[in-house]
Amino acid sequence: MSFKLDGPILEGALVRLEPLDHRHARDLAVAAEEDRSSYRLTWVPRADEVVPYIDAQLARAADGRLAPYAQVARSSGRAVGATAFWDPRLWPGEDRLCAVEIGFTWLAASAQGTGLNAEAKLLMFRHAFEVWDAARVDLKTDARNERSRAAIEGAGARFEGVLRSWSRSWAPGEDGLLRDSAMFSVVAAEWPECRARLEQRVASRC
């Protein structure tokens, strides 16, 4: 596969998505140690794990199958979370993107519910559909994570069902076990309506 995910800066009114780098480590260490109660069913690095976490994401990015970002709050200029494009899938027989997933997403407790997540999704969906001309964007989460499922649906993605024992569980005490994954997507035909919905949500926060 010669197609490689790139990670250009994506600029919004509330959030700036910057390609993840070690310069974000100090901010992310602080962000990760805020109230961690919403991370019960997902993995977010502790402060002392942020540097190896960034190393791991950059290593995954080296083969062009991951484009990791730091989510930087425009109000403070500080990184308050992370997200990524990953798992690109190409049209059969072509070096052209068909679908991509948005994942590896987390936000500090203080940034949740502020509109940053909605605008980050707006920026990433727009890049996927309008720059890469993708046919589909995927999102998934632990089927038990009602908060994450609500956030994904709030971003305009449609629930497609639950795939049982689909991927690694990140829940405490479940090392080596698989989780059921709730699957969501936005397809190209839905993007104009999704975009209008997200733009309205973001405008209400600005």
Side-chain angles (χ1 to χ4, degrees):
M1 183 183 78
S2 59
F3 177 89
K4 293 184 180 297
L5 291 175
D6 60 0
I9 292 174
L10 301 177
E11 191 90 31
L14 302 174
V15 65
R16 182 172 62 254
L17 299 180
E18 299 179 355
L20 184 66
D21 187 83
H22 283 288
R23 70 180 182 278
H24 300 116
R26 181 175 297 181
D27 288 348
L28 291 178
V30 172
E33 290 299 334
E34 293 184 11
D35 178 4
R36 294 180 60 90
S37 60
S38 65
Y39 306 151
R40 184 175 62 86
L41 293 170
T42 190
W43 185 81
V44 174
R46 304 297 311 223
D48 62 355
E49 297 172 322
V50 165
V51 170
Y53 161 77
I54 293 174
D55 287 338
Q57 291 294 77
L58 295 180
R60 293 185 184 105
D63 67 359
R65 295 187 58 82
L66 179 86
Y69 283 104
Q71 300 196 61
V72 177
R74 293 289 304 273
S75 60
S76 66
R78 294 183 178 181
V80 294
T83 191
F85 288 116
W86 76 295
D87 193 23
R89 302 190 304 284
L90 304 184
W91 289 100
E94 298 184 43
D95 190 35
R96 184 166 63 91
L97 188 72
C98 175
V100 69
E101 183 166 337
I102 294 174
F104 294 94
T105 301
W106 62 273
L107 278 173
S110 61
Q112 296 173 20
T114 64
L116 267 71
N117 179 64
E119 188 172 49
K121 293 298 188 294
L122 171 63
L123 295 171
M124 295 178 82
F125 288 153
R126 187 167 63 198
H127 191 75
F129 288 119
E130 299 180 14
V131 177
W132 286 332
D133 196 27
R136 171 187 169 100
V137 174
D138 306 330
L139 305 97
K140 67 176 182 283
T141 189
D142 191 307
R144 299 166 293 180
N145 194 335
E146 296 296 337
R147 183 188 184 105
S148 178
R149 290 176 65 160
I152 292 171
E153 289 184 324
R158 292 193 183 184
F159 175 60
E160 295 184 322
V162 173
L163 296 182
R164 297 175 298 165
S165 297
W166 179 252
S167 57
R168 174 182 177 177
S169 174
W170 296 103
E174 295 186 1
D175 290 351
L177 300 181
L178 297 174
R179 74 179 193 190
D180 295 346
S181 291
M183 312 297 289
F184 298 81
S185 71
V186 178
V187 299
E190 299 163 348
W191 167 233
E193 180 181 351
C194 177
R195 176 175 180 165
R197 180 176 177 179
L198 285 171
E199 287 175 342
Q200 184 175 23
R201 287 186 61 190
V202 172
S204 72
R205 294 286 185 172
C206 293

